[in-house]
Amino acid sequence: MEREPQFTTDAPAFNDAPAFHDFWPGGRAPTVLQVVPTLITGGAERGCIDMALALAEAGGTPLVASQGGAMVRELDRAGIRHITLPLASKNPLTIRKNARKLAAIIAERKVDIVHARSRAPAWSAWMACRDTGARFMTTFHAPYNIGSGMKRWYNSVMARGERVIAISDFVRRHILENYETDPANIRTIHRGIDRAVFAPDRVSSARLIQLTRQWHLPADRPVILLPARLTRWKGQTVLIEALEKLGRKDVVCLLVGSDQGRSGYRRELESRIARAGLGNVVVMTDHCSDMAAAYLLSTVVVSASREPEAFGRVIVEAQAMGKPVIVSAIGAYQETVMPGETAWVVPPDDADALANALREALSLTPDQRDAIGARAQAFVADRYTRERMCADTLGVYAELL
């Protein structure tokens, strides 16, 4: 899933990350060059920044190459070198030119490992490692579409790493089903969230009040939250149909996410809301820069995706905030919840099942809601933290050395 807007903090330190100084083979921490298309926003970009910071904390030398973006300033603040290259380009000539430039960087900086997080820069990185002898690894962030033999070949570079990180078991299965890869080289490392951001006690009442006023939320109505960009496969239409079947007018449903230029789909949603008589129930908002507060204001968080998600960070964030969740039984979501314990899992594109799950979630007593919240927070803290993700990835770096 593409990363939804979240409240972020300035370049966090990994003071509680494991000290890997004594575990590097030969006693020398590595120099690792990560390559991504841009550093604007997104899960791959967030993971890149997090790993650069963690490697620095563990005594290594992180380098990052990309076409640039607002997130570069996080590297600058941490004193981490960013190298600007046109790595977002899929032009074959540019990819080869980038490969030569990366090879020069590898030689000059004595890079041990090149870690690629997207296909176009991965091809440049693979060629540069082939020419220099640096170790090549990838993180497979999504189950890329395979429409032709050429597309499969283009995607295959992400499965060519000496180590391939899959961000979920669902992605791992996709790799093994579609590419010639030794299963022994794949490591499943789930994405992790920042517990300094997604923790109920870190959200001030002032932030809650600000968001409540911004969205004109009444104080006495349960809030159903679906955070996702406005695109058909995210299932906003399924939720609207489920709300119509639910038949309650004493709730508020927040569709939080930008249409990213899909004005036609936005108009379709507005029309559906009006036809269903839900004009006083469904509120469509745009970008939210404080998702932690948005989760805390909600009664239940929904992901109604109609197509598989590679991970589903939103649902992990919601559980970290102690909220019950409803998810589609598709993709990686079934890995990131405890069905019947922290979540309702419903068939995708099934408005009746979603309506029934909403009915149950909204009927919870305060004690039941608190119990679910406690289980959800413990579940996420045990499996899906940024610290664990970074520690496991540092372990893969050590393997390669």
Side-chain angles (χ1 to χ4, degrees):
M1 165 178 176
E2 182 176 317
R3 182 72 177 94
E4 303 301 335
Q6 69 170 63
F7 178 76
T8 58
T9 55
D10 289 345
F14 280 77
N15 296 324
D16 54 349
F20 271 70
H21 305 72
D22 298 331
F23 296 91
W24 301 119
R28 184 180 68 84
T31 296
V32 178
L33 170 63
Q34 295 185 84
V35 293
V36 289
T38 65
L39 284 173
I40 299 172
T41 186
E45 293 83 351
R46 182 71 263 158
C48 176
I49 298 290
D50 288 345
M51 276 313 305
L53 295 169
L55 179 61
E57 287 283 340
T61 303
L63 302 169
V64 177
S66 82
Q67 199 158 299
M71 296 173 78
V72 172
R73 64 176 179 240
E74 296 188 47
L75 298 175
D76 292 340
R77 283 194 292 266
I80 294 171
R81 175 74 183 273
H82 175 265
I83 300 150
T84 304
L85 291 174
L87 290 169
S89 175
K90 296 179 181 179
N91 182 299
L93 295 177
T94 304
I95 287 174
R96 289 188 175 278
K97 188 178 296 185
N98 285 336
R100 291 193 292 271
K101 292 179 179 178
L102 289 176
I105 293 166
I106 291 168
E108 178 187 353
R109 299 280 174 173
K110 295 181 172 56
V111 172
D112 299 289
I113 299 168
V114 181
H115 183 174
R117 295 179 176 272
S118 187
R119 290 166 293 177
W123 277 111
S124 298
W126 178 76
M127 288 186 278
C129 289
R130 180 191 59 189
D131 294 341
T132 62
R135 314 304 293 270
F136 175 67
M137 64 174 284
T138 64
T139 292
F140 217 111
H141 282 276
Y144 302 110
N145 292 327
I146 301 172
S148 65
M150 179 60 72
K151 190 65 177 290
R152 185 188 296 271
W153 175 83
Y154 178 67
N155 297 345
S156 71
V157 69
M158 299 304 294
R160 297 188 184 199
E162 296 176 67
R163 292 293 183 274
V164 178
I165 294 175
I167 67 168
S168 64
D169 289 329
F170 166 69
V171 170
R172 183 180 191 276
R173 290 191 297 271
H174 170 83
I175 297 169
L176 292 174
E177 289 168 3
N178 292 283
Y179 305 98
E180 294 184 5
T181 306
D182 185 347
N185 291 336
I186 302 176
R187 302 288 180 270
T188 300
I189 301 178
H190 291 100
R191 288 158 69 176
I193 65 165
D194 187 351
R195 291 179 297 172
V197 173
F198 296 102
D201 59 358
R202 295 295 186 97
V203 180
S204 67
S205 57
R207 285 164 60 188
L208 295 176
I209 292 170
Q210 180 181 6
L211 210 50
T212 298
R213 289 175 176 171
Q214 179 182 330
W215 289 340
H216 306 290
L217 296 178
D220 58 345
R221 293 167 68 179
V223 175
I224 300 164
L225 174 67
L226 191 157
R229 67 191 186 280
L230 298 188
T231 183
R232 195 173 302 279
W233 73 272
K234 291 294 187 179
Q236 287 91 356
T237 57
V238 182
L239 179 55
I240 291 168
E241 185 180 349
L243 290 168
E244 188 176 10
K245 293 176 180 294
L246 183 66
R248 289 182 57 168
K249 299 299 176 68
D250 63 334
V251 300
V252 175
C253 175
L254 293 170
L255 303 182
V256 177
S258 169
D259 63 20
Q260 298 179 328
R262 300 180 187 90
S263 56
Y265 183 57
R266 175 183 284 275
R267 288 193 297 271
E268 178 186 334
L269 292 176
E270 291 169 344
S271 177
R272 281 178 177 249
I273 292 166
R275 288 199 309 270
L278 296 172
N280 293 324
V281 171
V282 181
V283 177
M284 295 177 66
T285 76
D286 207 322
H287 170 83
C288 177
S289 61
D290 194 350
M291 282 306 301
Y295 293 130
L296 205 54
L297 286 172
S298 67
T299 307
V300 58
V301 179
V302 177
S303 174
S305 296
R306 305 167 70 186
E307 297 178 15
E309 300 276 5
F311 178 69
R313 185 190 290 259
V314 159
I315 288 302
V316 174
E317 292 171 350
Q319 290 176 100
M321 298 301 293
K323 297 300 173 178
V325 297
I326 302 173
V327 302
S328 299
I330 191 169
Y333 272 142
Q334 296 169 91
E335 301 172 40
T336 57
V337 299
M338 297 172 66
E341 298 289 329
T342 68
W344 288 262
V345 181
V346 300
D349 219 1
D350 189 331
D352 288 309
L354 180 52
N356 290 334
L358 285 170
R359 192 172 291 113
E360 291 183 25
L362 295 172
S363 68
L364 294 172
T365 67
D367 286 346
Q368 289 172 324
R369 192 174 302 283
D370 289 344
I372 289 175
R375 287 195 296 269
Q377 288 178 293
F379 174 66
V380 171
D382 184 52
R383 292 168 176 81
Y384 302 115
T385 65
R386 185 181 60 177
E387 291 76 20
R388 178 167 182 166
M389 175 191 73
C390 290
D392 289 348
T393 306
L394 289 172
V396 175
Y397 292 167
E399 279 184 41
L400 280 178
L401 297 177

